[in-house]
Amino acid sequence: MSKRTQAPPEPVARTFTQASLIAPPRQSGWRGVSGSAFDAARLVWRAAPRQLLTTLVLQTALALGLGVLVAKRLLDELIAGNSGSEELSALAPAFAILIGAVIAMGLMNAVIQHQQRLLTEKVFVLVFDEIIRVANSVELDAFEDPVFYDQLQRARTSGTYRPLEMVTSLNSLTTASLASLGITFVLFRLEPLLVPLVLLAALPLLLASVLNSRRLHEFEYYITPRNRERTYLMEILTGQDAAKEIRVFNATSYLRRRYDELTAERYAMIRTFAAQRLKVSAAAAVCNSIGIAIALGSLAVLLGTDRIDVATAVAGGAAMQLLSGRLSGFSGSVGKLVESTLFLDDYRTFVKLAEGRAHAEPAPPPDPDAVPEFGGLTLDKVSFRYPHTERTVLDEISLDIEKGEVVALVGENGSGKTTLVKLICALHQPTGGSLAWGGSDYRDLDPAEVRAEITVLFQDFLRYELTVADNIALGRVERESGLAALERAAEQAGAMDAIRRLPDGFDTRLGRQFYGGHEMSLGQWQRLALARAFYRDGSFLIFDEPTASLDPKAEAALFEQIRLLAEGRSVLLISHRFSSVRSADRIFVLEQGRLIESGNHDELMALDGQYAHMFRLQAAAYMSDSPT
C-alpha cells in the first residue's frame, strides 16, 4: 500500500481587531438611521396594517402611567387616615380600579403578543417575496459574482430573523416612549427637578446602545464571506449528494477540520468583538449608575429640607426607578431599532439590484400561441466574458441555424459550448456582437418570449423532489393540460413503465428528502427530463450533452426518443459522442472560445482538421483487433 500523503497545512490564523472591520455602504449619520427607521415602519405597514394599528393602540393604553398616580392617592389616604374600617372602606373604589387596571393590562399584553406574532409572520412573508423576486430577476451573470452571494446571504439573514427584531423594536420603542412620557409627566408633577437628572443619567446608555449596534452591523458585514464558506462546508458534510464521495475518499475528517478551523476563527473573532462591546456597555452602565445615585441623593436632600413630604418622596422614588427602567428599555429599543434598520439596509441594497433592468418584474409566462415559432437564429461576432474576469470565453462567434435544420456543436471541455447555449437562451447578454431570432435582434425582444419557444435538455438537468406530474408539468407551467398531456409526454420519453411501477403513479413524490418519497435511477430521472422537454413542445430544441452519463444501450434508446421529439423542429445538439453528431446537417467546432471549423461530417473529415482528429481518437476506442 502506498504511503499516505501529508494533509494540507493549517491555515495561518488572522488577528481580528476593531480596525479590521469594513464599514458597509450606507446612509451616514442620524438622518440615514431615521430614513432606515421610516423604511422599516413603512415595510411593517405594507405587510400588516391592521395588526400594527391594533398593537399600537393597545400599547398606548398600557403606557399611560396612571398606576403611579393611583398608588400615590392610596398612599396619601393611608398616611392621612387612621386606618379604621370606615377609612379603609372609602379606599375600596380606588383598590377596585387598581385591580381592574392590572387585569386589563394582563389581557392587553396577551392580545399584543398574539398580534405581534401575526405581524412578524406577515413581515417575514413580504421580505422573502422580495428576495425571491430579485433573485429571479437579476441577470444570470450575477450568480457568477461572489459579491452577489454575499448580498444574497445578508438579505436572507436579515429576512430570516431581523423582521422579528424590527417589529419587536418598533413596538418596544413605542411602549417605552409612551411609558417614559407618562412617568415623566407624573414625576414632573411630583418634583420637576428630578426629571432632568434621570434623563441625563440615561443618556450614556442610549449612546452606548447606538454605538454597539452600528459596530455589530459592521462585524456581521465583515464575516459574511466566512459564514458562507462555513455554510457551504456544512452542506457538503450533511448533504446526500456529497455523502458517498466524501466517504469513499475518506475526506470527512479533512473537510470537518476545515469547518472546525472556520468555526474556531469565528469564535475567536466574536470573543474579541464581544469584549470591545462590553467595555462600551460597562462604561455606560457606570455613568448611568452615578447619574441615578445623584438623582436619589437629590431626592433625599429635598425630603430632608422638607421641600417634599414623605408620600411625595416615596412616589417620586418609585417614579424615578420606573422612569430609569423605562429609559433603559428605551435605549435598548433604540439600539435594536438602529441595528435592525442597518441590517434592513442590506435587504434594501439587495432589492435595488433589480432596479433598472428590463425584466426586473418577472412577467407572467407568455401565451404559447402568441409567441412566433422559431424562424432561424443568427449569431454575429458574439463575444462574452464572465463578470470580474479577464478571460474571453467566446470570441467573435458567427453562425446561423436555419428553420428545420439540425446543427451540432462540438469541442473540448471549456471551449465555450455551454456558455453559448446560455446566450442563445437569453440567460446572459453578450459583451460583444449580437444575436437575432427570426431576423429580430435579441435586444428588441422580450427574453421570456424567446425562451417560450426554446426547449433545453441540459446535462445537469434538475431533479425536482416533487411529484412525477410536477416534474413533467414544469416544462411549461402556463399550459393548462390535464393528465392526458402528461401521459403523452411520458410515453414519448419512454418513462411510462417506470411511472406505472410507482405506488401513486403521477402523484408519487420523488426523492428521499421528504416523507413518502421514492428515488429513481439516473436514467429514469433523465427520461423524466426528456418528458419535460416533450411537454414543453418548443419549436427550437437544444440538447446539451444529454447522454453524457448513460451507457451505450441507454444512450441509443434516449436518442431514439430525441429524434422523435426533433421531428419538424430545429435542433442544436452539443455532444462529445461523435456517433450522435455525425448525422447533423452542419457541425460547428469550437476551440478555446473560437469557431475554427464548420461543415457536415464528410466535409470536416475531408478537411482533416480538429474535428477529424477528435473523431478518429474516439473511433479508435471502438476499433480493436483483440477478441471480445
Side-chain angles (χ1 to χ4, degrees):
M1 182 178 292
S2 61
K3 185 179 179 180
R4 291 186 178 180
T5 58
Q6 186 175 359
E10 300 280 344
V12 179
R14 292 180 287 257
T15 303
F16 170 78
T17 64
Q18 189 69 36
S20 302
L21 295 183
I22 302 172
R26 66 181 180 215
Q27 295 176 309
S28 60
W30 285 101
R31 180 177 298 178
V33 173
S34 62
S36 296
F38 176 77
D39 285 343
R42 186 169 57 182
L43 177 66
V44 176
W45 176 260
R46 282 178 55 203
R50 185 168 64 85
Q51 282 78 13
L52 179 60
L53 283 176
T54 302
T55 302
L56 290 177
V57 169
L58 292 177
Q59 287 176 334
T60 303
L62 285 175
L64 294 178
L66 297 179
V68 175
L69 292 178
V70 174
K72 179 182 181 301
R73 179 184 174 185
L74 288 173
L75 190 60
D76 284 337
E77 295 289 340
L78 286 172
I79 293 174
N82 297 321
S83 301
S85 60
E86 293 182 0
E87 288 79 6
L88 291 176
S89 62
L91 297 178
F95 273 114
I97 293 174
L98 189 61
I99 293 172
V102 171
I103 294 174
M105 286 189 293
L107 292 175
M108 284 190 288
N109 271 319
V111 175
I112 287 173
Q113 292 178 6
H114 171 70
Q115 292 296 314
Q116 284 180 338
R117 182 68 184 88
L118 298 177
L119 183 60
T120 300
E121 185 65 23
K122 287 195 172 185
V123 173
F124 178 90
V125 170
L126 177 62
V127 166
F128 265 84
D129 279 349
E130 287 293 288
I131 292 175
I132 293 171
R133 180 186 68 83
V134 174
N136 284 274
S137 299
V138 297
E139 301 291 350
L140 194 64
D141 54 18
F143 292 91
E144 309 286 344
D145 187 357
V147 174
F148 172 79
Y149 284 103
D150 284 345
Q151 292 173 321
L152 176 60
Q153 174 74 12
R154 294 186 188 107
R156 281 176 172 172
T157 302
S158 299
T160 301
Y161 65 94
R162 293 297 172 181
L164 174 61
E165 284 193 350
M166 183 174 61
V167 172
T168 302
S169 298
L170 285 170
N171 289 332
S172 299
L173 182 61
T174 302
T175 302
S177 299
L178 294 173
S180 297
L181 287 174
I183 299 173
T184 298
F185 173 77
V186 171
L187 185 60
F188 185 82
R189 289 282 306 273
L190 296 173
E191 176 52 55
L193 177 63
L194 299 176
V195 173
L197 295 177
V198 177
L199 294 178
L200 287 174
L203 184 59
L205 296 178
L206 177 62
L207 296 177
S209 181
V210 172
L211 178 60
N212 280 338
S213 296
R214 284 180 171 273
R215 288 183 173 176
L216 175 63
H217 179 246
E218 293 171 354
F219 176 74
E220 293 290 343
Y221 190 94
Y222 174 77
I223 65 172
T224 297
R226 292 173 173 81
N227 286 342
R228 285 202 301 110
E229 187 175 355
R230 287 178 67 247
T231 301
Y232 170 71
L233 290 172
M234 172 63 77
E235 290 174 352
I236 291 179
L237 288 166
T238 60
Q240 176 186 4
D241 292 339
K244 56 182 180 294
E245 181 166 318
I246 64 175
R247 294 186 186 191
V248 169
F249 291 166
N250 196 27
T252 302
S253 59
Y254 172 69
L255 292 172
R256 178 59 191 268
R257 183 154 48 87
R258 286 279 301 274
Y259 176 82
D260 290 343
E261 288 162 1
L262 288 171
T263 301
E265 181 189 44
R266 171 182 166 84
Y267 179 71
M269 292 168 64
I270 289 176
R271 284 189 59 184
T272 302
F273 177 70
Q276 294 163 349
R277 281 172 58 96
L278 179 60
K279 292 177 183 178
V280 175
S281 299
V286 170
C287 293
N288 174 255
S289 299
I290 293 174
I292 292 297
I294 293 174
L296 290 174
S298 301
L299 180 65
V301 170
L302 292 173
L303 179 62
T305 57
D306 294 328
R307 292 183 57 182
I308 56 175
D309 55 29
V310 174
T312 302
V314 173
M320 288 172 60
Q321 291 297 323
L322 284 174
L323 181 57
S324 177
R326 293 295 187 179
L327 290 175
S328 177
F330 175 84
S331 300
S333 296
V334 170
K336 278 294 183 182
L337 182 61
V338 170
E339 178 182 313
S340 298
T341 52
L342 289 174
F343 280 97
L344 182 64
D345 281 344
D346 296 331
Y347 164 76
R348 292 190 303 172
T349 299
F350 182 78
V351 169
K352 288 179 181 178
L353 291 177
E355 292 181 0
R357 298 182 184 272
H359 54 288
E361 289 288 347
D367 181 0
D369 297 330
V371 178
E373 291 189 356
F374 180 77
L377 178 70
T378 302
L379 281 69
D380 183 23
K381 295 183 178 180
V382 169
S383 298
F384 181 79
R385 69 168 60 94
Y386 285 100
H388 310 294
T389 63
E390 297 299 327
R391 188 173 76 89
T392 299
V393 181
L394 297 174
D395 189 5
E396 295 191 347
I397 301 295
S398 295
L399 59 85
D400 61 276
I401 302 174
E402 301 295 336
K403 184 176 181 179
E405 189 176 30
V406 177
V407 171
L409 197 62
V410 300
E412 297 177 347
N413 290 333
S415 60
K417 302 185 299 296
T418 298
T419 299
L420 186 60
V421 169
K422 293 178 182 178
L423 265 66
I424 293 174
C425 293
L427 298 175
H428 289 302
Q429 299 296 322
T431 53
S434 63
L435 294 88
W437 176 280
S440 300
D441 194 298
Y442 263 44
R443 290 167 291 194
D444 299 328
L445 298 173
D446 183 351
E449 291 188 355
V450 173
R451 297 180 197 130
E453 278 302 314
I454 296 178
T455 294
V456 185
L457 182 59
F458 286 109
Q459 174 184 350
D460 54 346
F461 57 86
L462 279 179
R463 289 178 277 185
Y464 299 96
E465 297 206 3
L466 304 171
T467 66
V468 174
D470 289 333
N471 268 271
I472 298 175
L474 279 167
R476 195 177 291 277
V477 293
E478 66 273 20
R479 179 178 175 181
E480 297 183 2
S481 299
L483 182 61
L486 299 176
E487 290 178 340
R488 184 165 56 253
E491 286 283 3
Q492 291 172 325
M496 275 304 298
D497 287 344
I499 294 173
R500 290 190 184 99
R501 289 194 293 269
L502 294 173
D504 297 314
F506 283 88
D507 293 326
T508 304
R509 178 182 282 276
L510 302 178
R512 294 292 189 184
Q513 188 170 345
F514 303 102
Y515 291 109
H518 291 261
E519 191 55 85
M520 304 183 77
S521 69
L522 179 59
Q524 290 170 333
W525 277 110
Q526 198 151 25
R527 289 191 178 278
L528 271 185
L530 184 60
R532 195 156 55 240
F534 274 107
Y535 187 80
R536 183 166 182 77
D537 198 29
S539 59
F540 181 41
L541 312 180
I542 301 176
F543 300 108
D544 183 10
E545 299 288 359
T547 62
S549 56
L550 300 182
D551 58 64
K553 182 179 179 180
E555 176 191 3
L558 184 61
F559 262 111
E560 193 62 37
Q561 302 298 330
I562 290 176
R563 289 189 186 96
L564 178 63
L565 176 60
E567 288 181 1
R569 294 175 172 86
S570 302
V571 179
L572 175 61
L573 174 63
I574 301 172
S575 179
H576 285 96
R577 309 287 180 90
F578 285 88
S579 58
S580 306
V581 305
R582 63 181 300 172
S583 59
D585 298 321
R586 280 186 298 155
I587 303 169
F588 294 97
V589 183
L590 288 181
E591 184 177 62
Q592 295 183 358
R594 296 185 66 88
L595 182 60
I596 60 172
E597 297 175 10
S598 64
N600 60 35
H601 172 75
D602 293 335
E603 291 170 344
L604 291 175
M605 291 301 294
L607 185 62
D608 198 24
Q610 180 69 9
Y611 176 85
H613 174 68
M614 292 189 295
F615 182 87
R616 293 190 187 101
L617 282 177
Q618 192 171 106
Y622 296 95
M623 298 171 62
S624 174
D625 294 332
S626 59
T628 58

